[in-house]
């Protein structure tokens, strides 16, 4: 009997894990396709179309156009987090997390595969949100919302998707039960996203609250994506890029140490 | 030649509890080795350290010469494990599970091996089912298929037949013997000592984290159990039963007990059982004061 050649242990396990993550989220299409479509439609209908028609922004773009990049990024970040965290927590529960520890897969391979898996789901949901938003935008404005800087948009989506997938991984290894995972999502993640400038321009805030908002890294991720779409941003795009990049690195390092210290034994 | 598994001075503690207390073990290539002992003796802790699921408190483990810790990936690629508990992969079919498992071990296209195992373990027609749709026996067989999908040279079976019916147990043991013929080294823990006696070339008995006996299966039995001598004398219908010390010659025994060989119509000698040997050993270790008491 011959075992696998060590040279195959670099990329094959890594891509297998990514494939598994993608297949997993594609099997729950109600969560990954239908739910974001409905959520995006509701936000666009209530905030974009209904309330948005009464809101004037100093930047000169319509409120609906302002809202769309934020919703795309919100969907991406939320789902990147959900993907890696739920994958780990479910695996802890079912016991198949032990398979990863026993198999010849390194922590780096697990970390990056989970990150890329989360990014795929985040980008996929971001795309679904954009498709829905474009329909709303077309019926409201009579044209399709273009993308001013596609490369910049892609970079911010990659940074955001990876960063939140790493955060999901750390949270899932830290959590001792489903409640703790839900608590992080409800009490930390969602407030940061909602206060990160998805629905409003931080320019419109009181200077004190503007300074507080500047401490929220989500402001930079969301404004980076908004700059990619519209060419406008509440913060300097270079500063947004730097903060987003640093946040991603910090969350990567946190995830690495979480994984190193983590228990893979089933709940 | 590198040993399939070499464990040197292994310690594993969970807080104040010493689960493994200075274990040394060396497996020979191609043997079936039984690790026996009561619940909580430390068997699963040793296996968990070997497969890196748990980190040893101290000591060293090598798999075919690759040190766990230094060359963990290379060491891990040579091992397959059937865990005590069934893993429930909620999202995927049996076939997908085996495909992913192959990928984890660096094998990207493993259709032939997967199908071979599915046929061998009678799971082929269930390959599109999910784990929750399988019976208990099928789940066990899936665990075995997962452990073998990358053709490991060392197979760890941690209570693989717990809760499995007699027919399936017999099928699995035949399968393990077949693996041995193919050169796979097997480390087995089981509570079915009768089967361990049939299967294992060597056994170690572990108690409270320490190995208290390690020998060839038959040698251990001979050293710790008596033999049963059954004699049918002339003119008698029933056999008379005698207990003979292991290693004692028949002629010597007959002479000592003043049995005239010319009066014997028929006789048979039965060796002791592994179960009796293990029970005696554990009884001696756990209750030294009563160690001289006879055991059934």
């Amino acid at each position: 009997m011959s075992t696998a050649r060590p040279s195959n242990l670099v990329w094959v396990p890594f891509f297998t894990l990514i494939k598994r993550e993608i297949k997993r989220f594609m099997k729950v299409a109600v969560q990954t396709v239908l739910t974001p479509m409905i959520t995006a439609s509701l936000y666009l209908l209530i905030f974009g179309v209904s309330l948005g028609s009464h809101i004037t922004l100093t930047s000169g773009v319509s409120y609906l156009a302002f809202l769309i990049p934020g919703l795309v990024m919100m969907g991406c970040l939320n789902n990147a987090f959900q993907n890696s965290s739920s994958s780990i927590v479910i695996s802890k529960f079912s016991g198949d997390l032990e398979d990863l520890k026993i198999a010849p897969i390194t922590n780096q391979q697990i970390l990056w595969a989970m990150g890329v898996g989360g990014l795929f789901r985040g980008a996929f949901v971001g795309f679904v949100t954009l498709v829905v938003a474009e329909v709303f935008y077309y019926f409201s404005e009579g044209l399709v919302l273009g993308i001013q800087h596609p490369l910049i948009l892609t970079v911010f989506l990659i940074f955001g998707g990876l960063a939140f997938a790493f955060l999901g991984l750390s949270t899932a290894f830290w959590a001792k039960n489903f409640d703790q995972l839900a608590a992080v999502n409800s009490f930390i993640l969602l407030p940061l996203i909602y206060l990160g400038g998805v629905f409003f321009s931080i320019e419109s805030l009181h200077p004190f609250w503007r300074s507080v908002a500047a401490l929220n890294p989500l402001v930079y991720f969301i404004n980076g994506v908004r700059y990619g779409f519209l060419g406008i941003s509440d913060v300097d795009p270079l500063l947004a890029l730097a903060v987003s990049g640093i946040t991603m690195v910090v969350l990567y390092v946190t995830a690495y140490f979480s994984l190193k210290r983590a228990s893979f034994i089933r709940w | 030649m590198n040993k399939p598994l070499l464990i040197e001075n292994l310690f594993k503690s969970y807080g104040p509890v010493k689960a493994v207390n200075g274990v040394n073990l060396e497996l020979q290539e191609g043997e079936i080795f039984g690790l026996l002992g009561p619940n909580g003796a430390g068997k699963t802790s040793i296996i968990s350290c070997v497969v890196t699921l748990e980190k040893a408190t101290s000591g060293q483990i090598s798999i075919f010469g690759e040190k766990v810790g230094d060359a963990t990936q290379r060491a891990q690629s040579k091992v397959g494990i059937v865990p005590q508990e069934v893993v429930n992969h909620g999202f995927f079919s049996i076939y997908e599970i085996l495909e992913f498992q192959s990928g984890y071990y660096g094998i990207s296209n493993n259709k032939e091996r997967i199908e071979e195992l599915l046929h061998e373990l009678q799971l082929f027609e269930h390959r599109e089912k999910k784990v929750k749709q399988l019976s208990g026996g099928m789940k066990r067989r899936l665990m075995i298929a997962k452990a073998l999908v990358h053709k490991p040279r060392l197979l760890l079976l941690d209570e693989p037949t717990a809760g499995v019916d007699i027919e399936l147990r017999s099928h699995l043991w035949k399968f393990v013997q077949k693996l041995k013929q193919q050169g796979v080294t097997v480390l087995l823990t089981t509570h079915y000592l009768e089967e361990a006696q049939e299967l294992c070339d060597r056994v170690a008995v572990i108690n409270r984290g320490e190995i208290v006996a390690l020998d060839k299966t038959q040698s251990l039995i001979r050293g710790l159990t008596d033999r049963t001598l059954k004699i049918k004398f002339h003119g008698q219908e029933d056999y008379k039963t005698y207990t003979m010390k292991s290693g004692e010659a028949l002629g010597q025994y007959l002479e000592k007990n003043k049995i005239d060989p010319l009066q014997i119509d028929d006789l048979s000698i039965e060796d002791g059982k592994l179960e009796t040997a293990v029970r005696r050993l554990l009884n001696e270790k756990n209750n030294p004061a009563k160690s001289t008491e006879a055991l059934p």
Side-chain angles (χ1 to χ4, degrees):
Chain A
M1 277 193 160
S2 61
T3 46
R5 281 180 292 125
S7 58
N8 292 343
L9 293 175
V10 181
W11 294 109
V12 178
F14 175 67
F15 286 119
T16 300
L17 207 46
I18 293 176
K19 188 175 158 190
R20 191 197 77 158
E21 286 303 293
I22 293 171
K23 267 199 169 182
R24 195 186 68 83
F25 80 71
M26 293 308 286
K27 288 195 184 222
V28 284
V30 172
Q31 275 179 48
T32 53
V33 184
L34 203 61
T35 306
M37 274 172 81
I38 292 169
T39 310
S41 301
L42 287 171
Y43 280 130
L44 290 159
L45 191 68
I46 297 163
F47 293 104
V49 178
S50 179
L51 294 173
S53 58
H54 305 290
I55 300 170
T56 313
L57 295 169
T58 50
S59 53
V61 297
S62 71
Y63 183 71
L64 188 56
F66 176 87
L67 183 64
I68 289 170
L71 286 182
V72 168
M73 192 54 162
M74 186 170 86
C76 174
L77 299 181
N78 247 332
N79 278 274
F81 177 87
Q82 295 294 343
N83 199 67
S84 56
S85 61
S86 62
S87 177
I88 297 289
V89 167
I90 290 167
S91 290
K92 270 186 179 181
F93 199 69
S94 66
D96 65 339
L97 193 62
E98 292 182 358
D99 289 348
L100 296 187
K101 186 69 177 165
I102 291 166
I105 306 177
T106 63
N107 283 350
Q108 290 288 2
Q109 285 169 317
I110 295 173
L111 193 56
W112 283 104
M114 288 286 179
V116 173
L119 171 63
F120 263 95
R121 174 158 159 188
F124 181 74
V125 170
F127 177 73
V128 169
T129 307
L130 180 62
V131 170
V132 174
E134 289 286 13
V135 173
F136 273 87
Y137 193 78
Y138 184 79
F139 282 110
S140 173
E141 309 286 327
L143 70 161
V144 172
L145 182 70
I147 298 172
Q148 299 294 316
H149 307 289
L151 191 63
I152 292 174
L153 172 66
T154 308
V155 169
F156 276 100
L157 282 173
I158 290 172
F159 278 10
L162 283 176
F164 272 65
F166 294 145
L167 180 64
L169 197 115
S170 307
T171 310
F173 275 115
W174 165 79
K176 298 280 178 285
N177 50 48
F178 285 105
D179 277 353
Q180 289 184 339
L181 187 68
V184 171
N185 197 26
S186 305
F187 301 125
I188 300 171
L189 206 64
L190 283 180
L192 282 177
I193 291 177
Y194 282 102
L195 298 173
V198 174
F199 299 100
F200 59 89
S201 163
I202 61 166
E203 293 286 318
S204 62
L205 295 175
H206 182 276
F208 171 75
W209 292 111
R210 208 182 301 157
S211 316
V212 174
L215 299 173
N216 179 359
L218 274 294
V219 165
Y220 303 91
F221 281 109
I222 289 164
N223 275 285
V225 167
R226 190 166 285 138
Y227 183 78
F229 269 104
L230 308 174
I232 59 159
S233 167
D234 287 344
V235 293
D236 179 357
L238 278 177
L239 177 67
L241 188 69
V243 174
S244 302
I246 291 167
T247 306
M248 190 195 73
V249 171
V250 169
L251 291 175
Y252 162 76
V253 172
T254 309
Y256 177 75
F257 284 105
S258 302
L259 196 55
K260 213 172 167 187
R261 294 179 55 194
S263 167
F264 284 68
I265 291 176
R266 70 159 70 189
W267 280 349
Chain B
M1 205 167 79
N2 290 321
K3 300 291 176 195
L5 179 63
L6 181 63
I7 298 175
E8 292 169 288
N9 218 16
L10 184 73
F11 286 85
K12 174 66 191 169
S13 300
Y14 300 95
V17 181
K18 281 184 182 173
V20 182
N21 199 5
V23 163
N24 289 288
L25 210 58
E26 187 182 303
L27 264 62
Q28 306 298 327
E29 186 145 20
E31 73 173 337
I32 300 178
F33 187 95
L35 190 56
L36 313 173
N39 287 333
K43 305 183 295 287
T44 300
S45 293
I46 292 173
I47 287 180
S48 297
C49 290
V50 171
V51 295
T52 71
L53 206 50
E54 298 273 9
K55 199 171 180 214
T57 307
S58 66
Q60 199 156 282
I61 299 168
S62 305
I63 295 165
F64 289 100
E66 311 278 9
K67 279 184 190 163
V68 174
D70 295 347
T72 304
Q73 244 194 319
R74 283 205 299 274
Q76 283 170 319
S77 68
K78 291 168 182 163
V79 185
I81 178 171
V82 179
Q84 220 174 83
E85 286 182 66
V86 171
V87 175
N88 179 20
H89 306 260
F91 296 93
F92 304 112
S93 69
I94 305 310
Y95 195 89
E96 284 173 318
I97 291 166
L98 296 177
E99 260 190 334
F100 291 140
Q101 188 74 8
S102 304
Y104 296 160
Y105 286 82
I107 308 163
S108 52
N109 187 1
N110 205 22
K111 189 172 182 248
E112 204 179 313
R113 174 67 174 163
I114 291 172
E115 289 190 354
E116 179 195 337
L117 284 169
L118 287 173
H119 282 297
E120 187 83 52
L121 292 160
Q122 295 159 18
L123 286 170
F124 190 76
E125 57 201 62
H126 307 286
R127 66 191 180 282
E128 296 306 328
K129 287 183 183 170
K130 290 184 178 170
V131 176
K132 65 181 175 189
Q133 295 171 291
L134 301 179
S135 68
M138 287 177 198
K139 285 177 186 169
R140 280 273 160 208
R141 278 180 270 157
L142 172 64
M143 294 298 107
I144 293 172
K146 268 178 68 187
L148 292 171
V149 83
H150 60 292
K151 297 184 178 176
R153 292 170 65 193
L154 172 64
L155 180 64
L156 311 176
L157 300 170
D158 192 8
E159 302 282 355
T161 53
V164 164
D165 65 39
I166 298 170
E167 197 182 340
L168 179 62
R169 255 166 43 210
S170 156
H171 175 81
L172 290 179
W173 294 138
K174 278 182 193 152
F175 190 67
V176 170
Q177 273 168 329
K178 199 173 156 190
L179 290 171
K180 184 194 165 174
Q181 284 161 11
Q182 291 168 4
V184 178
T185 308
V186 179
L187 174 65
L188 163 76
T189 78
T190 179
H191 280 126
Y192 298 103
L193 296 184
E194 204 173 309
E195 288 161 355
Q197 182 175 344
E198 289 289 313
L199 272 172
C200 297
D201 300 298
R202 289 193 306 148
V203 291
V205 180
I206 184 165
N207 186 40
R208 295 175 181 167
E210 289 176 30
I211 290 190
V212 291
L214 195 165
D215 209 336
K216 285 183 180 166
T217 311
Q218 288 309 318
S219 307
L220 189 85
I221 293 168
R222 278 194 212 106
L224 287 164
T225 60
D226 296 326
R227 290 194 291 173
T228 305
L229 175 65
K230 288 183 178 171
I231 300 176
K232 186 172 179 289
F233 292 101
H234 283 314
Q236 289 185 358
E237 292 216 344
D238 296 329
Y239 282 80
K240 214 171 166 186
T241 304
Y242 298 88
T243 303
M244 224 171 111
K245 290 252 175 272
S246 264
E248 193 172 9
L250 179 63
Q252 196 186 354
Y253 181 83
L254 294 177
E255 196 182 326
K256 194 172 81 184
N257 289 280
K258 294 173 181 155
I259 298 169
D260 180 2
L262 298 173
Q263 296 298 311
I264 296 172
D265 263 357
D266 187 23
L267 71 79
S268 67
I269 302 172
E270 278 176 25
D271 279 333
K273 289 184 174 162
L274 181 60
E275 186 175 342
T276 313
V278 172
R279 283 178 63 192
R280 171 166 285 176
L281 191 67
L282 294 175
N283 194 48
E284 279 172 11
K285 295 289 170 189
N286 296 335
N287 307 296
K290 297 178 183 173
S291 63
T292 49
E293 281 181 19
L295 277 164

